[in-house]
Amino acid sequence: MPQFLTQVIEFSSLRKGVRYGSKVKTGCITCKTRRIRCSEEKPSCVKCTSTGRNCEGYRKNKGPVRHKDVQNPAQRSITQHESPAQTVDILAEYGDGLQYLEFYHHCVGRTIATTFDSNFWCNIAPRMAQSEPSVRHALMALGYFNKATTGSLKNARLSDERHETLFYHYNKSVRSLIERMKQISFDPEVGLVTCVLFVCIEFLRGDFITAFTHLQNGLKMIKEWHYRRTCRQPPKEGERPKLRAIVHSALESNDTMTELVPLFFRTTTVALLFGVRAEKIVEISPAIPRRFQFKPFHDVWEARAVSLDFQNAALIFTRDNSPRVFPVQPLTGEALKTQESILESHRSWRRAFEAFERSTTLSPAEQITVNELKAGYHCTYFSVSCITWVEQSGYDQYLWAYKEIIEHTKFVFDAKGLPERSPPTLTEPLLVSKPNGYRGPPPREGSVRHEKPSANFSFEVVLLPCLYFVIQRCRDPVTRREALALMERNPPREALLDYEMAAIAARRVIEIEETTLDPKTGWPVEQTRLWHGVVDGTIDSDGGFWIMFSNAYWIAGGGPQNEEEEYLCKVPRDPTDFRGRVDSQWQEYYKLGD
């Protein structure tokens, strides 16, 4: 039986030396707005044309220039940049691998990319692949796996023996990178680009341990690059640079680092959702910079960059301060200060963002981004503000926020052309019991999966946590079913988060909570409401996974008070699909559909 191995690269040190000159004030409009040094050729500078950007020329008068990032969707094959003799050598060396590189060029890059990172996936990585074998083989592996899988976690977890091509090119990329790092001409950008591709491959495979190991190594590499960039001495033991300072260094450097550094920190959000303590590598501040508190943002890219700090800080805060002892204890004085700092940062960001919206006309792509940012704002703000609430009826006052999240998400899904799906009716059964612990939604009109030429997958987490937050905290039966219908429109899997798994969990959450309804409101009573329904990220080869549930009424009182309360929610007793505990939690087993 063949065995396939992957390695995790440790970046021990970077090449010394200053590679970047001081800023110039006479550059082209595009370079000045991107805050990089312009090469100043006329009529179009090489800095722009070599990266596929549109050079907007030069202007005599001084004044603010609105950022405009023109993307070049046309991708060219590696063989189009070589001489005929070189092309023959390349075809002989890479063989069938070139078809997967071509597939990446034409299909994968544009489906993986989001508004913020399309230049990386569609321009930077393919261009670097022309000269760097590690990047070239990583793109071949990524192209192959996107073509060979659907994008669902169940499909990703099939036996690795079926994907020899993936591991061939993956391991070739690893070995090429190791050899490249030994050379004096090694550029840290090569290591970081390859690292991003490794993380993406592991996200697709559903291997979060290896993915986050690569991510942490990339963050360490960025940290070291930042210290060299700022001409500082090596950091002391335990010293961490601020995320905000690193992003500033990247914006002041060359074009590639300007794209790479924010991409790494957006990916850090995924790691934080899985409990990775990325803040041990870089300092993530809960406070928004004062310069953004009283003026509108320049563009949506700036708005997203500013939100990185405090939204990631919000995830850290909820992870570290979610109640673990019951009855729930109040937050400490220090935690209260952090909570208020995070909430005030959200409010300041919202004021600046609204001012930006009033002062500009948004393009269709920017409108999608704006709705994604607003949905994320509501999710993190209310998660932080209500962190110690055990009585779930308190969340009912935020129905307007849940409706806004749904409205923003629907706008995004409609704009992306996802297939429509009507919400389940109030009388429709939410789960259908089947043998071996399987529970899934009953077949309904419009449930056919929307097929794409490559895996239905995106690299970043954007909207799935927002929809699941609505499902867990909104008890209005109509509104939460609208959120469920959005989950089931078959959006691309977001990094390691699978919409199909989340939809099964959401249906079970609704079913449990609606066991008993208030006769006046038609909403679930407090006794049946859940504290949480957490999906285990691990999935077996049969597509099976576990969901942990916890009843909020038990937690508020410190545990079940009698036998009647102990099994109030009528959880299953079959040991093949149920794990009970002595406290208020239990687990249930489910399987993904075929």
Side-chain angles (χ1 to χ4, degrees):
M1 181 179 297
Q3 294 183 350
F4 304 99
L5 303 175
T6 60
Q7 293 178 267
V8 176
I9 302 297
E10 290 284 354
F11 299 100
S12 57
S13 63
L14 302 180
R15 180 167 55 91
K16 297 183 179 180
V18 179
R19 299 177 54 250
Y20 308 101
S22 59
K23 291 179 64 180
V24 297
K25 299 181 179 180
T26 56
C28 72
I29 293 173
T30 305
C31 288
K32 287 171 67 178
T33 54
R34 292 186 62 76
R35 288 167 281 190
I36 64 172
R37 183 171 183 174
C38 180
S39 54
E40 299 191 65
E41 292 85 1
K42 295 181 180 180
S44 300
C45 78
V46 173
K47 181 71 76 171
C48 293
T49 57
S50 64
T51 56
R53 298 186 184 279
N54 177 43
C55 181
E56 297 185 56
Y58 303 80
R59 48 196 293 151
K60 297 179 181 179
N61 59 317
K62 296 182 179 180
V65 182
R66 177 170 171 73
H67 171 78
K68 185 177 181 182
D69 185 2
V70 180
Q71 301 159 7
N72 178 14
Q75 304 301 327
R76 292 175 290 176
S77 132
I78 182 176
T79 58
Q80 290 178 296
H81 300 275
E82 310 290 349
S83 67
Q86 290 173 316
T87 300
V88 172
D89 292 339
I90 290 173
L91 290 173
E93 179 181 358
Y94 296 109
D96 290 342
L98 284 182
Q99 68 173 298
Y100 302 119
L101 189 59
E102 289 286 345
F103 184 75
Y104 176 90
H105 288 328
H106 295 296
C107 298
V108 178
R110 67 190 66 178
T111 58
I112 287 179
T114 67
T115 304
F116 299 106
D117 58 20
S118 58
N119 188 50
F120 171 82
W121 297 106
C122 298
N123 289 310
I124 292 176
R127 288 181 183 276
M128 190 173 287
Q130 296 170 22
S131 58
E132 297 293 341
S134 63
V135 178
R136 186 153 59 242
H137 281 289
L139 288 184
M140 289 176 180
L142 191 54
Y144 164 79
F145 205 49
N146 266 271
K147 189 173 184 179
T149 60
T150 65
S152 73
L153 270 181
K154 178 181 179 179
N155 189 251
R157 295 294 176 85
L158 291 175
S159 174
D160 288 337
E161 296 170 18
R162 303 187 184 187
H163 301 300
E164 294 185 34
T165 301
L166 166 70
F167 286 95
Y168 172 78
H169 289 291
Y170 194 170
N171 288 325
K172 285 277 288 186
S173 177
V174 170
R175 289 192 290 270
S176 297
L177 182 57
I178 292 173
E179 291 301 315
R180 187 73 172 87
M181 291 170 64
K182 297 177 182 178
Q183 301 174 6
I184 192 172
S185 62
F186 173 69
D187 192 323
E189 295 170 2
V190 176
L192 288 171
V193 169
T194 310
C195 187
V196 171
L197 298 177
F198 287 167
V199 172
C200 187
I201 291 170
E202 297 300 345
F203 277 177
L204 257 175
R205 292 181 62 211
D207 187 343
F208 54 86
I209 295 177
T210 306
F212 294 145
T213 303
H214 284 310
L215 177 63
Q216 288 177 303
N217 289 331
L219 292 177
K220 292 175 184 176
M221 191 178 187
I222 290 174
K223 174 182 173 180
E224 190 173 349
W225 168 86
H226 168 69
Y227 279 117
R228 294 188 184 280
R229 169 71 182 167
T230 53
C231 300
R232 294 184 53 186
Q233 297 296 323
K236 299 178 181 178
E237 183 70 24
E239 184 180 358
R240 301 168 300 156
K242 293 183 180 293
L243 181 153
R244 190 177 303 139
I246 297 177
V247 173
H248 181 73
S249 291
L251 295 177
E252 292 293 324
S253 66
N254 71 350
D255 213 21
T256 303
M257 294 304 289
T258 301
E259 301 276 354
L260 276 171
V261 170
L263 175 58
F264 265 94
F265 287 125
R266 290 195 301 272
T267 310
T268 301
T269 301
V270 187
L272 293 173
L273 286 170
F274 277 75
V276 176
R277 295 188 175 274
E279 71 276 14
K280 291 185 176 181
I281 303 175
V282 296
E283 182 178 338
I284 301 174
S285 172
I288 194 172
R290 290 188 176 182
R291 66 182 181 274
F292 294 113
Q293 292 184 2
F294 305 106
K295 71 167 189 174
F297 294 116
H298 188 63
D299 51 36
V300 292
W301 284 264
E302 182 181 59
R304 181 65 178 100
V306 171
S307 70
L308 276 177
D309 249 1
F310 66 81
Q311 288 200 331
N312 281 340
L315 294 177
I316 295 172
F317 179 80
T318 54
R319 180 199 68 200
D320 293 344
N321 293 278
S322 293
R324 294 177 174 84
V325 179
F326 305 104
V328 177
Q329 303 299 310
L331 295 175
T332 64
E334 188 66 28
L336 286 172
K337 291 180 181 179
T338 303
Q339 181 187 42
E340 180 53 34
S341 178
I342 294 173
L343 295 178
E344 179 55 33
S345 293
H346 277 75
R347 293 189 288 265
S348 297
W349 181 90
R350 182 62 184 263
R351 289 192 294 269
F353 196 72
E354 289 174 344
F356 158 69
E357 286 187 282
R358 291 192 297 268
S359 64
T360 189
T361 300
L362 299 172
S363 68
E366 288 175 324
Q367 290 174 358
I368 293 176
T369 304
V370 163
N371 281 272
E372 291 173 344
L373 291 176
K374 287 181 177 179
Y377 164 87
H378 286 304
C379 186
T380 54
Y381 183 86
F382 291 109
S383 295
V384 172
S385 61
C386 307
I387 190 169
T388 58
W389 291 13
V390 178
E391 292 188 3
Q392 300 298 290
S393 57
Y395 288 95
D396 297 347
Q397 63 185 292
Y398 297 120
L399 179 60
W400 62 271
Y402 308 136
K403 289 182 177 293
E404 283 202 19
I405 291 175
I406 290 174
E407 180 182 343
H408 296 316
T409 305
K410 187 177 187 305
F411 180 93
V412 174
F413 286 0
D414 288 345
K416 293 182 176 180
L418 296 181
E420 291 283 351
R421 183 174 174 91
S422 59
T425 64
L426 297 181
T427 58
E428 181 179 333
L430 289 165
L431 288 167
V432 176
S433 298
K434 292 184 178 181
N436 300 321
Y438 176 87
R439 287 176 178 80
R444 296 167 54 238
E445 184 178 354
S447 61
V448 178
R449 294 185 64 85
H450 177 61
E451 297 299 333
K452 292 187 176 183
S454 60
N456 196 26
F457 169 85
S458 63
F459 183 65
E460 295 189 35
V461 171
V462 183
L463 292 172
L464 193 155
C466 303
L467 288 177
Y468 198 67
F469 174 75
V470 172
I471 294 290
Q472 289 205 104
R473 296 295 175 240
C474 176
R475 268 66 182 201
D476 174 27
V478 175
T479 303
R480 70 193 325 186
R481 280 168 172 77
E482 291 176 352
L484 176 62
L486 289 171
M487 278 187 175
E488 295 178 344
R489 288 180 66 173
N490 193 33
R493 171 158 65 95
E494 296 181 359
L496 292 162
L497 303 183
D498 190 286
Y499 272 96
E500 187 178 359
M501 293 172 68
I504 291 176
R507 283 177 170 267
R508 180 57 173 154
V509 166
I510 298 173
E511 184 181 58
I512 291 173
E513 293 197 332
E514 294 184 1
T515 302
T516 306
L517 301 176
D518 186 301
K520 293 182 179 180
T521 64
W523 292 18
V525 298
E526 184 70 28
Q527 287 84 348
T528 60
R529 295 187 178 190
L530 295 174
W531 171 254
H532 66 217
V534 179
V535 179
D536 190 327
T538 304
I539 182 172
D540 60 34
S541 59
D542 293 327
F545 62 99
W546 292 87
I547 309 173
M548 176 178 287
F549 300 97
S550 185
N551 185 276
Y553 185 71
W554 295 334
I555 291 174
Q561 304 301 313
N562 51 54
E563 289 187 10
E564 183 179 357
E565 291 182 4
E566 189 171 357
Y567 286 97
L568 184 62
C569 292
K570 302 179 181 178
V571 295
R573 304 293 184 90
D574 187 344
T576 62
D577 66 345
F578 170 66
R579 294 174 181 169
R581 292 176 44 154
V582 296
D583 56 14
S584 60
Q585 301 181 75
W586 76 94
Q587 293 177 307
E588 297 177 8
Y589 181 81
Y590 297 89
K591 285 184 180 178
L592 295 172
D594 296 327

